[in-house]
Every structure is written in C-alpha cells, then in structure tokens.
Amino acid sequence: MTSTKVRTTALITPVEQEAQDEAKALAREGRTAKAVRRLRKDSGLGLSAAPVALDLLSQGHALPTTYGEALESLRALDAPLVAEMADLLGSGDRDAAIRLLRERTDIDLAGGYHLAMELSGRPDGR
C-alpha cells in the first residue's frame, strides 16, 4: 500500500515529458527498474516516489512537467497546505513554508524551494 505522502510527492514533482514517455515505454517492455531510474534521472523523485510515479503513469495519469503544473496539482490534492504555505510566504517566512511542504510530503529541498517560489510568484523569493 502506498502512503498518501509518497503519492502526493509523485504527483507534485515535475518530470520532463520525454522522461515520462520513455519510462512508460520501458515499463511496457517489462523493464521496470530501468523505467524507475529514468524517472529519477532528471527529476527530484526519490527512491520511494519514483516507483509510485511509474505506477501512476502506467495507470494513465500525467505527471507535472513544470513547477506551475506541480503547484496546481498540490492545490487539488491539499488546498489547506497551499493556504498555510501562502500565509507563511506572505509573512516573509519562506523557509518555514518550504519546511512545512517537506514535512507533509517527501519532496526534496530543491523541489520544495521551487514550489514555494512558484506560489509566491517571485522567482528570487524576495
């Protein structure tokens, strides 16, 4: 059984479309381990989230390809988390917003930073 935390991470971590397509093709050929490695190669997917992402792709789900799409996925999955992050960002506490996101998901530090910056609407975070 997949944890909600890991599934959420798989659904909010951007993966290039090319990598998604290659991973799906590899999975269809029965090369699951290679498909998981392909997903992990250029994304922030960890060891637990990458197989879940592959399962989601195999079931017909699309993963986000940008942090904008990832933020929309997060809003759909956990709107209260996004609201809490927005409040923290609004009060100037970027680090707390990133920490909160990382506590509630398994997203890596870079992914957490980029999602927080996407939410704040300012690439430099100021």
Side-chain angles (χ1 to χ4, degrees), residues 70-116:
L71 181 58
E72 290 309 311
S73 293
L74 183 58
R75 276 192 176 107
L77 292 166
D78 195 344
L81 170 59
V82 175
E84 286 180 64
M85 288 176 61
D87 289 344
L88 289 167
L89 289 166
S91 67
D93 201 348
R94 177 188 71 196
D95 292 347
I98 295 167
R99 194 169 34 256
L100 177 66
L101 176 62
R102 295 192 69 214
E103 287 170 359
R104 301 248 188 110
T105 69
D106 283 333
I107 198 160
D108 68 342
L109 181 59
Y113 171 82
H114 289 296
L115 273 172

Short mmCIF file of all heavy atoms in Angstrom, two decimals, residues 70-116:
data_model
loop_
_atom_site.label_atom_id
_atom_site.label_comp_id
_atom_site.label_asym_id
_atom_site.label_seq_id
_atom_site.Cartn_x
_atom_site.Cartn_y
_atom_site.Cartn_z
N ALA A 70 2.88 21.59 -11.14
CA ALA A 70 3.02 20.90 -9.86
C ALA A 70 2.25 21.63 -8.77
O ALA A 70 1.59 21.00 -7.93
CB ALA A 70 4.50 20.79 -9.49
N LEU A 71 2.30 22.95 -8.79
CA LEU A 71 1.56 23.74 -7.80
C LEU A 71 0.06 23.53 -7.96
O LEU A 71 -0.68 23.39 -6.98
CB LEU A 71 1.92 25.22 -7.91
CG LEU A 71 1.23 26.15 -6.92
CD1 LEU A 71 1.51 25.73 -5.48
CD2 LEU A 71 1.68 27.59 -7.17
N GLU A 72 -0.42 23.48 -9.19
CA GLU A 72 -1.85 23.22 -9.42
C GLU A 72 -2.23 21.84 -8.91
O GLU A 72 -3.31 21.66 -8.33
CB GLU A 72 -2.19 23.38 -10.90
CG GLU A 72 -2.13 24.82 -11.38
CD GLU A 72 -2.92 25.78 -10.50
OE1 GLU A 72 -4.10 25.49 -10.19
OE2 GLU A 72 -2.36 26.80 -10.09
N SER A 73 -1.37 20.86 -9.11
CA SER A 73 -1.63 19.51 -8.58
C SER A 73 -1.69 19.54 -7.06
O SER A 73 -2.56 18.92 -6.45
CB SER A 73 -0.53 18.53 -9.02
OG SER A 73 -0.57 18.33 -10.40
N LEU A 74 -0.76 20.27 -6.45
CA LEU A 74 -0.75 20.37 -4.99
C LEU A 74 -2.02 21.04 -4.48
O LEU A 74 -2.61 20.61 -3.49
CB LEU A 74 0.49 21.11 -4.50
CG LEU A 74 0.65 21.23 -2.99
CD1 LEU A 74 0.69 19.85 -2.33
CD2 LEU A 74 1.90 22.03 -2.65
N ARG A 75 -2.45 22.09 -5.18
CA ARG A 75 -3.70 22.77 -4.79
C ARG A 75 -4.88 21.80 -4.83
O ARG A 75 -5.74 21.82 -3.96
CB ARG A 75 -3.99 23.94 -5.73
CG ARG A 75 -3.29 25.20 -5.38
CD ARG A 75 -3.84 26.39 -6.17
NE ARG A 75 -3.19 27.59 -5.73
CZ ARG A 75 -2.28 28.25 -6.44
NH1 ARG A 75 -1.93 27.82 -7.64
NH2 ARG A 75 -1.72 29.35 -5.96
N ALA A 76 -4.92 20.96 -5.85
CA ALA A 76 -6.01 20.00 -5.98
C ALA A 76 -5.93 18.90 -4.92
O ALA A 76 -6.96 18.43 -4.44
CB ALA A 76 -6.00 19.37 -7.38
N LEU A 77 -4.73 18.53 -4.54
CA LEU A 77 -4.54 17.45 -3.57
C LEU A 77 -4.66 17.91 -2.12
O LEU A 77 -5.16 17.17 -1.27
CB LEU A 77 -3.16 16.81 -3.77
CG LEU A 77 -2.95 16.04 -5.05
CD1 LEU A 77 -1.47 15.75 -5.25
CD2 LEU A 77 -3.74 14.74 -5.01
N ASP A 78 -4.16 19.11 -1.83
CA ASP A 78 -4.10 19.57 -0.45
C ASP A 78 -4.19 21.10 -0.38
O ASP A 78 -3.20 21.78 -0.08
CB ASP A 78 -2.81 19.07 0.21
CG ASP A 78 -2.82 19.18 1.72
OD1 ASP A 78 -3.68 19.90 2.27
OD2 ASP A 78 -1.96 18.54 2.36
N ALA A 79 -5.37 21.62 -0.64
CA ALA A 79 -5.58 23.07 -0.63
C ALA A 79 -5.22 23.71 0.72
O ALA A 79 -4.65 24.80 0.74
CB ALA A 79 -7.02 23.41 -1.03
N PRO A 80 -5.54 23.06 1.86
CA PRO A 80 -5.16 23.68 3.14
C PRO A 80 -3.63 23.85 3.29
O PRO A 80 -3.18 24.85 3.85
CB PRO A 80 -5.70 22.71 4.20
CG PRO A 80 -6.82 22.01 3.52
CD PRO A 80 -6.39 21.88 2.08
N LEU A 81 -2.86 22.91 2.78
CA LEU A 81 -1.41 23.03 2.83
C LEU A 81 -0.96 24.24 2.02
O LEU A 81 -0.13 25.03 2.47
CB LEU A 81 -0.73 21.76 2.31
CG LEU A 81 0.78 21.83 2.09
CD1 LEU A 81 1.52 22.18 3.37
CD2 LEU A 81 1.28 20.52 1.51
N VAL A 82 -1.51 24.40 0.83
CA VAL A 82 -1.15 25.54 -0.01
C VAL A 82 -1.52 26.84 0.68
O VAL A 82 -0.76 27.82 0.65
CB VAL A 82 -1.80 25.42 -1.41
CG1 VAL A 82 -1.53 26.66 -2.25
CG2 VAL A 82 -1.30 24.18 -2.13
N ALA A 83 -2.67 26.89 1.34
CA ALA A 83 -3.09 28.09 2.06
C ALA A 83 -2.13 28.41 3.21
O ALA A 83 -1.74 29.57 3.41
CB ALA A 83 -4.51 27.93 2.59
N GLU A 84 -1.71 27.39 3.94
CA GLU A 84 -0.75 27.59 5.03
C GLU A 84 0.58 28.11 4.49
O GLU A 84 1.19 29.02 5.07
CB GLU A 84 -0.51 26.29 5.79
CG GLU A 84 -1.63 25.87 6.71
CD GLU A 84 -1.30 24.57 7.43
OE1 GLU A 84 -0.32 24.57 8.22
OE2 GLU A 84 -1.99 23.57 7.19
N MET A 85 1.01 27.52 3.37
CA MET A 85 2.27 27.97 2.76
C MET A 85 2.15 29.42 2.30
O MET A 85 3.08 30.21 2.50
CB MET A 85 2.63 27.08 1.58
CG MET A 85 3.10 25.69 1.96
SD MET A 85 3.41 24.67 0.51
CE MET A 85 4.72 25.60 -0.32
N ALA A 86 1.02 29.77 1.70
CA ALA A 86 0.82 31.14 1.22
C ALA A 86 0.86 32.12 2.39
O ALA A 86 1.44 33.21 2.27
CB ALA A 86 -0.51 31.24 0.47
N ASP A 87 0.26 31.75 3.52
CA ASP A 87 0.30 32.61 4.71
C ASP A 87 1.74 32.82 5.18
O ASP A 87 2.14 33.94 5.51
CB ASP A 87 -0.54 32.02 5.84
CG ASP A 87 -2.03 32.10 5.58
OD1 ASP A 87 -2.44 32.88 4.69
OD2 ASP A 87 -2.79 31.39 6.27
N LEU A 88 2.50 31.73 5.23
CA LEU A 88 3.89 31.83 5.66
C LEU A 88 4.71 32.68 4.69
O LEU A 88 5.51 33.53 5.11
CB LEU A 88 4.51 30.44 5.80
CG LEU A 88 4.00 29.61 6.97
CD1 LEU A 88 4.43 28.15 6.83
CD2 LEU A 88 4.50 30.20 8.29
N LEU A 89 4.49 32.48 3.41
CA LEU A 89 5.20 33.27 2.40
C LEU A 89 4.80 34.73 2.50
O LEU A 89 5.64 35.62 2.36
CB LEU A 89 4.95 32.72 1.00
CG LEU A 89 5.61 31.38 0.69
CD1 LEU A 89 5.02 30.77 -0.58
CD2 LEU A 89 7.12 31.54 0.57
N GLY A 90 3.51 34.98 2.74
CA GLY A 90 3.02 36.35 2.87
C GLY A 90 3.64 37.08 4.06
O GLY A 90 3.81 38.30 4.03
N SER A 91 3.97 36.32 5.09
CA SER A 91 4.59 36.94 6.27
C SER A 91 6.12 36.96 6.14
O SER A 91 6.81 37.35 7.08
CB SER A 91 4.18 36.21 7.54
OG SER A 91 4.71 34.90 7.57
N GLY A 92 6.62 36.54 4.99
CA GLY A 92 8.06 36.61 4.74
C GLY A 92 8.85 35.42 5.25
O GLY A 92 10.08 35.47 5.28
N ASP A 93 8.17 34.35 5.64
CA ASP A 93 8.88 33.20 6.19
C ASP A 93 8.96 32.07 5.16
O ASP A 93 8.32 31.03 5.28
CB ASP A 93 8.19 32.72 7.47
CG ASP A 93 9.12 31.89 8.34
OD1 ASP A 93 10.20 31.50 7.85
OD2 ASP A 93 8.76 31.64 9.49
N ARG A 94 9.79 32.29 4.15
CA ARG A 94 9.96 31.33 3.07
C ARG A 94 10.45 29.98 3.58
O ARG A 94 9.96 28.93 3.18
CB ARG A 94 10.93 31.88 2.03
CG ARG A 94 11.24 30.92 0.90
CD ARG A 94 12.33 31.42 0.02
NE ARG A 94 13.58 31.36 0.74
CZ ARG A 94 14.70 31.99 0.39
NH1 ARG A 94 14.72 32.75 -0.67
NH2 ARG A 94 15.79 31.88 1.10
N ASP A 95 11.41 30.02 4.49
CA ASP A 95 11.98 28.77 5.00
C ASP A 95 10.95 27.92 5.71
O ASP A 95 10.93 26.70 5.57
CB ASP A 95 13.17 29.05 5.93
CG ASP A 95 14.36 29.63 5.18
OD1 ASP A 95 14.37 29.58 3.92
OD2 ASP A 95 15.28 30.14 5.84
N ALA A 96 10.06 28.55 6.46
CA ALA A 96 9.01 27.81 7.17
C ALA A 96 8.03 27.20 6.17
O ALA A 96 7.54 26.09 6.37
CB ALA A 96 8.27 28.70 8.15
N ALA A 97 7.76 27.91 5.08
CA ALA A 97 6.85 27.38 4.05
C ALA A 97 7.46 26.14 3.39
O ALA A 97 6.77 25.15 3.18
CB ALA A 97 6.56 28.46 3.00
N ILE A 98 8.74 26.21 3.11
CA ILE A 98 9.43 25.07 2.49
C ILE A 98 9.47 23.91 3.48
O ILE A 98 9.21 22.76 3.11
CB ILE A 98 10.85 25.47 2.03
CG1 ILE A 98 10.77 26.51 0.92
CG2 ILE A 98 11.64 24.25 1.57
CD1 ILE A 98 12.09 27.19 0.60
N ARG A 99 9.78 24.20 4.72
CA ARG A 99 9.85 23.16 5.75
C ARG A 99 8.49 22.46 5.91
O ARG A 99 8.40 21.24 6.00
CB ARG A 99 10.31 23.78 7.07
CG ARG A 99 10.74 22.81 8.10
CD ARG A 99 11.45 23.44 9.30
NE ARG A 99 11.02 24.76 9.70
CZ ARG A 99 11.68 25.90 9.44
NH1 ARG A 99 12.82 25.88 8.79
NH2 ARG A 99 11.21 27.06 9.84
N LEU A 100 7.42 23.26 5.92
CA LEU A 100 6.06 22.70 6.04
C LEU A 100 5.76 21.77 4.87
O LEU A 100 5.27 20.64 5.07
CB LEU A 100 5.03 23.83 6.09
CG LEU A 100 3.58 23.41 6.13
CD1 LEU A 100 3.26 22.70 7.44
CD2 LEU A 100 2.67 24.63 5.96
N LEU A 101 6.07 22.19 3.67
CA LEU A 101 5.85 21.36 2.48
C LEU A 101 6.64 20.06 2.58
O LEU A 101 6.12 18.98 2.31
CB LEU A 101 6.23 22.12 1.21
CG LEU A 101 6.13 21.35 -0.09
CD1 LEU A 101 4.70 20.91 -0.36
CD2 LEU A 101 6.66 22.19 -1.24
N ARG A 102 7.88 20.16 3.00
CA ARG A 102 8.73 18.97 3.10
C ARG A 102 8.28 18.02 4.20
O ARG A 102 8.43 16.82 4.10
CB ARG A 102 10.19 19.37 3.28
CG ARG A 102 10.70 20.11 2.03
CD ARG A 102 12.19 20.28 2.02
NE ARG A 102 12.79 18.97 1.85
CZ ARG A 102 13.93 18.61 2.41
NH1 ARG A 102 14.58 19.44 3.19
NH2 ARG A 102 14.41 17.42 2.19
N GLU A 103 7.70 18.58 5.27
CA GLU A 103 7.17 17.73 6.36
C GLU A 103 5.94 16.96 5.90
O GLU A 103 5.73 15.82 6.31
CB GLU A 103 6.81 18.58 7.58
CG GLU A 103 8.00 19.10 8.33
CD GLU A 103 7.64 20.13 9.39
OE1 GLU A 103 6.44 20.47 9.54
OE2 GLU A 103 8.56 20.62 10.06
N ARG A 104 5.13 17.57 5.05
CA ARG A 104 3.88 16.95 4.64
C ARG A 104 4.01 16.09 3.40
O ARG A 104 3.09 15.35 3.04
CB ARG A 104 2.82 18.02 4.39
CG ARG A 104 2.54 18.88 5.58
CD ARG A 104 1.15 18.66 6.13
NE ARG A 104 0.87 19.64 7.15
CZ ARG A 104 0.01 20.64 7.02
NH1 ARG A 104 -0.70 20.78 5.91
NH2 ARG A 104 -0.16 21.49 8.00
N THR A 105 5.13 16.23 2.70
CA THR A 105 5.40 15.41 1.51
C THR A 105 6.83 14.91 1.62
O THR A 105 7.54 15.26 2.56
CB THR A 105 5.26 16.23 0.20
OG1 THR A 105 6.32 17.18 0.11
CG2 THR A 105 3.91 16.93 0.11
N ASP A 106 7.25 14.13 0.68
CA ASP A 106 8.64 13.67 0.63
C ASP A 106 9.43 14.41 -0.44
O ASP A 106 10.44 13.91 -0.93
CB ASP A 106 8.70 12.16 0.34
CG ASP A 106 8.36 11.33 1.56
OD1 ASP A 106 8.57 11.80 2.68
OD2 ASP A 106 7.87 10.19 1.38
N ILE A 107 8.97 15.60 -0.80
CA ILE A 107 9.66 16.34 -1.86
C ILE A 107 11.05 16.76 -1.38
O ILE A 107 11.27 17.01 -0.19
CB ILE A 107 8.82 17.57 -2.31
CG1 ILE A 107 9.30 18.06 -3.66
CG2 ILE A 107 8.83 18.67 -1.25
CD1 ILE A 107 8.30 18.91 -4.40
N ASP A 108 11.99 16.81 -2.31
CA ASP A 108 13.36 17.18 -1.94
C ASP A 108 13.45 18.69 -1.71
O ASP A 108 12.51 19.44 -1.99
CB ASP A 108 14.35 16.71 -3.00
CG ASP A 108 14.22 17.42 -4.33
OD1 ASP A 108 13.19 18.05 -4.60
OD2 ASP A 108 15.16 17.33 -5.13
N LEU A 109 14.57 19.13 -1.16
CA LEU A 109 14.74 20.53 -0.80
C LEU A 109 14.61 21.45 -2.01
O LEU A 109 13.92 22.47 -1.94
CB LEU A 109 16.10 20.74 -0.13
CG LEU A 109 16.43 22.16 0.32
CD1 LEU A 109 15.39 22.67 1.32
CD2 LEU A 109 17.82 22.21 0.93
N ALA A 110 15.25 21.09 -3.12
CA ALA A 110 15.17 21.93 -4.32
C ALA A 110 13.73 22.02 -4.83
O ALA A 110 13.26 23.10 -5.18
CB ALA A 110 16.09 21.40 -5.41
N GLY A 111 13.04 20.90 -4.84
CA GLY A 111 11.65 20.91 -5.28
C GLY A 111 10.77 21.74 -4.37
O GLY A 111 9.89 22.48 -4.83
N GLY A 112 11.01 21.63 -3.06
CA GLY A 112 10.25 22.43 -2.10
C GLY A 112 10.48 23.92 -2.31
O GLY A 112 9.55 24.72 -2.29
N TYR A 113 11.73 24.27 -2.54
CA TYR A 113 12.07 25.67 -2.81
C TYR A 113 11.36 26.18 -4.06
O TYR A 113 10.73 27.23 -4.04
CB TYR A 113 13.59 25.82 -2.97
CG TYR A 113 14.00 27.18 -3.46
CD1 TYR A 113 14.12 28.25 -2.58
CD2 TYR A 113 14.24 27.41 -4.82
CE1 TYR A 113 14.47 29.51 -3.04
CE2 TYR A 113 14.59 28.66 -5.28
CZ TYR A 113 14.70 29.71 -4.39
OH TYR A 113 15.05 30.96 -4.85
N HIS A 114 11.45 25.42 -5.15
CA HIS A 114 10.84 25.86 -6.41
C HIS A 114 9.32 25.97 -6.31
O HIS A 114 8.72 26.90 -6.86
CB HIS A 114 11.25 24.95 -7.56
CG HIS A 114 12.69 25.11 -7.94
ND1 HIS A 114 13.21 26.28 -8.45
CD2 HIS A 114 13.73 24.24 -7.87
CE1 HIS A 114 14.50 26.13 -8.68
NE2 HIS A 114 14.84 24.90 -8.33
N LEU A 115 8.69 25.03 -5.61
CA LEU A 115 7.24 25.13 -5.43
C LEU A 115 6.87 26.34 -4.59
O LEU A 115 5.89 27.04 -4.89
CB LEU A 115 6.68 23.86 -4.79
CG LEU A 115 6.32 22.75 -5.75
CD1 LEU A 115 5.96 21.47 -5.00
CD2 LEU A 115 5.17 23.15 -6.65
N ALA A 116 7.62 26.60 -3.54
CA ALA A 116 7.35 27.78 -2.71
C ALA A 116 7.53 29.06 -3.52
O ALA A 116 6.72 29.99 -3.41
CB ALA A 116 8.26 27.79 -1.49
#
